[in-house]
Amino acid sequence: MTNTNELQTPVSGDVQQAVNALADAAAIAQHELAQATADTKNGVLMAIADALDAHASDIADANAMDMQAAFDAGMDQGKLDRLKFDVIRVAAAAQGVRHVATLPDPVGEIVRGYDLGNGLRLQQQRVPLGVIGMIYEARPNVTVDVAALCLKSGNAAILRGGHAAERTNAATLQVIDEVLQELHFDPALVASVDRYGREGARAMMRATGHIDVLIPRGGAGLIQSVVHESRVPVIETGAGNVHIYVDSSADIDKAIDIVVNAKTQRVGVCNAAEKLIVHRDIARQFLPRMAQALARAHVTIHADELSMRIMGDADIKDIQLLAADEADWGTEYLALEIGVRIVDSLDEAIDHINRYSTHHTESILSQDYTNIERFTKAIDSAVVMVNASTRFTDGGVFGFGAELGISTQKLHARGPMGLQEMTTTKWVGYGNGQVRA
Amino acid sequence: MTNTNELQTPVSGDVQQAVNALADAAAIAQHELAQATADTKNGVLMAIADALDAHASDIADANAMDMQAAFDAGMDQGKLDRLKFDVIRVAAAAQGVRHVATLPDPVGEIVRGYDLGNGLRLQQQRVPLGVIGMIYEARPNVTVDVAALCLKSGNAAILRGGHAAERTNAATLQVIDEVLQELHFDPALVASVDRYGREGARAMMRATGHIDVLIPRGGAGLIQSVVHESRVPVIETGAGNVHIYVDSSADIDKAIDIVVNAKTQRVGVCNAAEKLIVHRDIARQFLPRMAQALARAHVTIHADELSMRIMGDADIKDIQLLAADEADWGTEYLALEIGVRIVDSLDEAIDHINRYSTHHTESILSQDYTNIERFTKAIDSAVVMVNASTRFTDGGVFGFGAELGISTQKLHARGPMGLQEMTTTKWVGYGNGQVRA
């Protein structure tokens, strides 16, 4: 049962030492940043945004080289699009930094505070986490987002972007570096391990005591490898095998709108619906109309036996219908595909979802108070929607302004992670000579 | 740089499977408990307390056998005292369970809640963490405490107590087991891996996806081995190399009282002071009187060069004075010993503390507003006291009623961990057909 990944992929002592040293320098710089006022930090962000605009063409030139190399290496169109960081996208990223500057600063917020009987005044205050490590795929806008969110929340960032974006990231980080120096902040606050390639990422995962938390962002493969290999505490993000349960009491018109929206409003995102669980008592009224709407939206349906029969019997134009197997229930399609299963009861739906879900977001469509109460309590996921699209699980929609990712684990942060989730707390007790009796 | 502990201590597949199965059964039972009302959970706790009273002599008999075996094996007096669970202590533990029943239930608390512009009502609610693993030393009262705290907060508990307490823990858990069965709760809610010995503890550390969080409680050795070896998320607790900084502006009379209290009011606890950092400008006035008070309390002083000279020159009765070396600064004595160092500035004090501290509790004794502000912001510890004893860092004192331990890490919980820290959150969105535009 022992996981030996890290022995299969050793890290040279030199690289480990170099990455630990980057993190330690970041920690020292972070101790100063932690004491900066919100005004000061916002000033840094505004200067970074201006500098990104001023150097947009340098960054775009570096990106053009990355794009060419990736194209030559046969990168697919979707990934090439995510890699693209032309002057328009640099300008959009700069606007994003200005937006982060407008968000409230979580640092210093008093979470709890009260006097003990002896006059000692206790306050639990929000403080930055420290050094946040981020391992992500070749998406240069993430570099800008994460740097801005970390600086705003008083944290240092150690970054490993994808290999394909190395020139773009280097050009971007140089701009940030120069602004930090100009404003007399230590550029160690935002550092990259890209020069060490994949070994740098693995060294980050072993930088226990140097990096406070590691956040992987990207595909399921990347996230799982970080979760399994890391010795540094990880916040697991992203993967969404998202379910919608259509109860026997559901409003069918609304249900069809919600499922179509949750599946097709944007494809390939973690909060898109992947599975439709339907109560047997509504299946014959609901499924033929639902299937017609999905067919019109070019969604392929992976159906269990009974739902296959119901949809197959109906006369549905252009339907793409496949038989679902066990593997379907655990699959996040990230495509115009959806799995459909009929259940005999609410409890069967809950059991199925808790078994196969990645604990991101699930939704119940129902008019029955008791069933809604039971579903929202029993479902073990970060977000449970009632009569609403799963697409609402998003830091921006939740009012966080920007998000670092969506946590699908239970410790520290659960659901969209904004600036508040990038903090921890510190208790301060103000006394005047109190001793314990 | 690779940690290979787990390869030196393999776990048999059978034991791993058995421990995973215990945790999975606990998780299923926990899903039901999570939906129990506070009244129901309090009823279970009161029944457990009554059953502990009714079976106190059975538990005490089992403990007498553990005590005899430990005595024969040469266990020292301090550990024997912690192992002791006679009828008086069982009664005290039962009272503790009744006290937990009176505490507010954190489950269901709305942490944040607001309407989105589209009418979707979002609520972030507290929910139990799930399955909590606890690895601790031979202290049978911890078994009762943890079971009560877990049940109250809607969590399941997987326990590994020390080998020396196995008979006592088995007798205690049998009482709890019978109450759970009687009240139609699944006894899998509180399970022990003691039957698998140390291999059981190691299997808990590898039960990724089965146990949600692992909390080690005990000596530094136990905690560090769990932190380094565990694959399951760990909340690090306990170790306290606690500092008191005496600023040049300190009130000397109060400072002496606070240091004596922090060092001697209870010895061998994590919130006792271990180091005294003194500003040079107050050293000659403060240290001779301080040393006299410490000598009267039989505290041995490990002094740096300058403080050694100052205290050595003074005429102090019964002083025990040793030269401190580098190793002293990182040592948690857990005894009537204290390290003393003189610094030239507040910043030197802060640097020393942030370097050597275990990030548990530190205190500044000062009348200077600016210095207090700087110290409380710059010190990177779970609790910072101002003009008060470090002994106040305690869940009971903080008003939590009971504590699972004191977290010295930053993720999820920092400082004393009570019922609230044993929860995570879940977002629930109540809509009426909302889709994303």
Side-chain angles (χ1 to χ4, degrees):
Chain A
M1 306 300 293
T2 298
N3 185 311
T4 54
N5 273 350
E6 74 273 28
L7 296 181
Q8 291 158 13
T9 52
V11 176
S12 86
D14 286 354
V15 169
Q16 188 66 58
Q17 228 170 340
V19 169
N20 290 353
L22 277 179
D24 292 345
I28 290 169
Q30 188 272 330
H31 282 147
E32 288 306 309
L33 181 69
Q35 298 174 57
T37 63
D39 288 350
T40 302
K41 293 184 287 187
N42 293 338
V44 172
L45 293 190
M46 296 307 276
I48 287 173
D50 292 345
L52 286 170
D53 280 338
H55 297 277
S57 62
D58 301 340
I59 296 170
D61 288 349
N63 184 251
M65 286 191 279
D66 278 337
M67 291 287 286
Q68 186 61 51
F71 180 82
D72 292 345
M75 183 181 272
D76 70 45
Q77 204 50 49
K79 282 188 175 168
L80 276 175
D81 183 60
R82 288 200 287 271
L83 175 58
K84 189 170 165 182
F85 207 47
D86 58 10
V87 289
I88 293 169
R89 290 198 180 173
V90 174
Q95 268 314 109
V97 175
R98 290 187 185 97
H99 177 63
V100 172
T102 68
L103 297 176
D105 183 355
V107 174
E109 187 198 337
I110 308 286
V111 179
R112 284 184 271 186
Y114 41 85
D115 282 39
L116 298 185
N118 61 2
L120 187 65
R121 287 184 298 117
L122 267 189
Q123 300 184 351
Q124 186 182 25
Q125 310 176 348
R126 278 197 197 287
V127 296
L129 271 175
V131 179
I132 296 178
M134 189 97 184
I135 298 178
Y136 52 105
E137 290 173 341
R139 293 181 62 175
N141 66 308
V142 172
T143 308
V144 177
D145 283 359
V146 171
L149 288 167
C150 282
L151 292 172
K152 173 79 185 207
S153 54
N155 291 292
I158 304 288
L159 306 173
R160 164 59 184 167
H163 167 68
E166 278 184 15
R167 293 180 192 88
T168 316
N169 286 338
T172 303
L173 290 175
Q174 200 190 318
V175 170
I176 294 173
D177 192 305
E178 281 166 13
V179 172
L180 290 172
Q181 292 201 41
E182 253 170 54
L183 298 180
H184 307 293
F185 278 89
D186 189 336
L189 281 171
V190 182
S192 165
V193 305
D194 278 355
R195 78 194 79 159
Y196 307 112
R198 290 199 171 182
E199 219 180 344
R202 290 197 303 269
M204 287 172 71
M205 299 183 212
R206 282 166 191 73
T208 316
H210 306 275
I211 293 177
D212 290 295
V213 58
L214 209 55
I215 302 171
R217 183 161 153 179
L222 171 73
I223 291 165
Q224 282 313 307
S225 90
V226 174
V227 166
H228 286 116
E229 206 177 331
S230 182
R231 291 280 169 183
V232 172
V234 171
I235 296 181
E236 192 170 346
T237 68
N241 183 24
V242 167
H243 296 76
I244 296 180
Y245 167 63
V246 181
D247 191 35
S248 56
S249 66
D251 177 318
I252 289 181
D253 290 330
K254 286 182 180 171
I256 290 168
D257 286 349
I258 288 170
V259 172
V260 169
N261 181 265
K263 180 68 252 179
T264 70
Q265 192 257 347
R266 201 168 153 206
V267 181
V269 290
C270 60
N271 57 18
E274 301 286 356
K275 300 294 175 308
L276 188 56
I277 309 297
V278 180
H279 193 283
R280 175 186 289 268
D281 292 349
I282 201 172
R284 281 177 202 283
Q285 304 154 257
F286 169 68
L287 273 178
R289 288 182 55 197
M290 183 75 250
Q292 185 59 72
L294 289 169
R296 258 196 297 272
H298 311 290
V299 177
T300 298
I301 299 170
H302 301 255
D304 75 340
E305 209 183 309
L306 180 54
S307 70
M308 170 80 96
R309 215 175 321 137
I310 293 170
M311 290 184 282
D313 286 352
D315 180 29
I316 298 166
K317 199 164 165 280
D318 299 326
I319 191 168
Q320 308 260 16
L321 201 53
L322 302 170
D325 58 22
E326 177 64 23
D328 277 289
W329 307 128
T331 299
E332 187 182 5
Y333 299 117
L334 292 169
L336 285 171
E337 300 183 55
I338 196 165
V340 176
R341 182 178 164 178
I342 292 175
V343 291
D344 288 341
S345 66
L346 173 64
D347 280 350
E348 195 185 332
I350 290 168
D351 288 346
H352 177 94
I353 293 170
N354 280 340
R355 179 164 173 201
Y356 293 103
S357 168
T358 53
H359 312 297
H360 186 296
T361 301
E362 331 296 338
S363 183
I364 178 172
L365 311 183
S366 172
Q367 297 302 316
D368 184 284
Y369 177 79
T370 304
N371 288 357
I372 290 170
E373 284 283 293
R374 169 131 182 92
F375 188 89
T376 56
K377 284 194 173 157
I379 289 295
D380 193 19
S381 296
V383 184
V384 182
M385 293 291 179
V386 178
N387 294 323
S389 173
T390 57
R391 287 276 297 121
F392 288 112
T393 299
D394 175 278
V397 171
F398 275 28
F400 298 179
E403 73 177 23
L404 200 63
I406 294 174
S407 164
T408 55
Q409 61 168 48
K410 291 182 184 173
L411 281 183
H412 186 74
R414 200 177 192 202
M417 283 187 289
L419 292 168
Q420 186 174 305
E421 285 71 25
M422 297 168 77
T423 63
T424 180
T425 59
K426 177 199 280 184
W427 289 92
V428 181
Y430 295 96
N432 54 7
Q434 281 82 355
V435 296
R436 191 154 168 194
Chain B
M1 307 301 292
T2 296
N3 184 312
T4 54
N5 274 351
E6 73 274 26
L7 295 180
Q8 290 157 14
T9 52
V11 176
S12 86
D14 285 355
V15 170
Q16 188 67 58
Q17 227 170 343
V19 169
N20 290 354
L22 277 179
D24 292 345
I28 290 169
Q30 188 274 328
H31 282 149
E32 288 306 310
L33 181 68
Q35 298 174 57
T37 63
D39 288 349
T40 302
K41 292 185 287 187
N42 293 338
V44 172
L45 293 190
M46 296 307 276
I48 287 174
D50 292 345
L52 286 171
D53 279 337
H55 295 279
S57 61
D58 301 340
I59 296 171
D61 288 349
N63 183 251
M65 286 191 277
D66 278 336
M67 290 287 285
Q68 185 62 52
F71 180 81
D72 293 345
M75 182 180 273
D76 70 44
Q77 204 50 48
K79 282 189 176 169
L80 276 175
D81 184 60
R82 289 201 286 271
L83 175 58
K84 189 170 165 182
F85 207 47
D86 58 11
V87 289
I88 293 169
R89 291 198 179 172
V90 174
Q95 269 313 107
V97 175
R98 290 187 185 98
H99 177 63
V100 172
T102 68
L103 298 175
D105 183 354
V107 174
E109 186 199 337
I110 309 288
V111 180
R112 284 184 271 186
Y114 41 85
D115 282 39
L116 299 183
N118 61 3
L120 187 64
R121 287 184 298 118
L122 266 190
Q123 300 184 351
Q124 187 182 23
Q125 310 177 346
R126 280 198 195 286
V127 296
L129 271 174
V131 179
I132 296 178
M134 189 96 182
I135 298 178
Y136 53 106
E137 290 173 343
R139 293 181 62 174
N141 67 306
V142 173
T143 307
V144 176
D145 282 0
V146 171
L149 288 166
C150 282
L151 292 171
K152 173 78 184 208
S153 55
N155 292 292
I158 304 288
L159 307 173
R160 164 58 184 167
H163 166 67
E166 279 184 18
R167 292 181 193 88
T168 316
N169 287 337
T172 304
L173 290 174
Q174 198 190 319
V175 170
I176 294 172
D177 191 304
E178 280 166 12
V179 172
L180 290 171
Q181 291 202 45
E182 253 168 54
L183 299 180
H184 307 293
F185 279 88
D186 189 336
L189 281 171
V190 182
S192 165
V193 304
D194 278 356
R195 78 195 79 160
Y196 307 111
R198 290 197 172 183
E199 218 179 344
R202 290 198 302 269
M204 285 171 73
M205 300 184 210
R206 283 166 190 72
T208 316
H210 305 275
I211 292 176
D212 290 294
V213 59
L214 208 55
I215 301 171
R217 182 162 156 179
L222 170 73
I223 292 166
Q224 282 313 307
S225 91
V226 174
V227 166
H228 286 117
E229 205 177 332
S230 183
R231 292 282 168 180
V232 172
V234 171
I235 297 181
E236 193 172 346
T237 67
N241 183 22
V242 167
H243 296 75
I244 296 180
Y245 167 63
V246 181
D247 191 34
S248 56
S249 67
D251 177 318
I252 290 181
D253 290 331
K254 285 182 179 170
I256 290 168
D257 286 350
I258 288 171
V259 172
V260 169
N261 181 264
K263 180 68 253 179
T264 70
Q265 193 256 347
R266 202 170 153 203
V267 181
V269 290
C270 60
N271 56 17
E274 302 285 356
K275 300 295 175 307
L276 188 56
I277 310 297
V278 180
H279 193 283
R280 177 187 289 269
D281 293 348
I282 202 172
R284 281 177 203 282
Q285 303 155 256
F286 169 68
L287 273 179
R289 288 183 55 197
M290 184 74 250
Q292 185 58 73
L294 289 169
R296 259 196 296 272
H298 311 291
V299 178
T300 299
I301 299 171
H302 301 255
D304 74 342
E305 211 182 307
L306 180 55
S307 70
M308 170 80 95
R309 216 175 320 136
I310 293 171
M311 289 184 283
D313 287 351
D315 180 28
I316 298 166
K317 198 164 166 278
D318 299 328
I319 190 169
Q320 309 259 14
L321 200 55
L322 301 170
D325 59 20
E326 176 63 24
D328 277 289
W329 307 129
T331 299
E332 188 183 4
Y333 299 116
L334 294 170
L336 285 173
E337 301 184 52
I338 196 164
V340 176
R341 182 178 165 178
I342 292 175
V343 290
D344 288 340
S345 66
L346 173 66
D347 280 349
E348 195 186 332
I350 290 168
D351 288 347
H352 177 94
I353 293 170
N354 280 341
R355 180 165 172 202
Y356 293 103
S357 169
T358 52
H359 312 296
H360 186 295
T361 301
E362 331 295 340
S363 183
I364 179 172
L365 311 184
S366 172
Q367 296 302 316
D368 185 284
Y369 177 79
T370 304
N371 288 357
I372 291 169
E373 284 282 294
R374 169 130 182 93
F375 188 89
T376 55
K377 283 194 173 158
I379 289 295
D380 193 20
S381 296
V383 184
V384 182
M385 293 292 178
V386 177
N387 294 323
S389 173
T390 57
R391 288 275 298 121
F392 288 113
T393 299
D394 175 278
V397 171
F398 276 27
F400 297 179
E403 73 178 24
L404 201 60
I406 294 174
S407 165
T408 55
Q409 61 167 48
K410 292 181 183 173
L411 281 183
H412 187 72
R414 201 178 191 203
M417 283 187 290
L419 293 167
Q420 186 174 306
E421 286 70 26
M422 298 169 76
T423 64
T424 180
T425 59
K426 177 197 281 185
W427 288 92
V428 180
Y430 295 96
N432 54 8
Q434 281 83 354
V435 296
R436 191 154 168 194

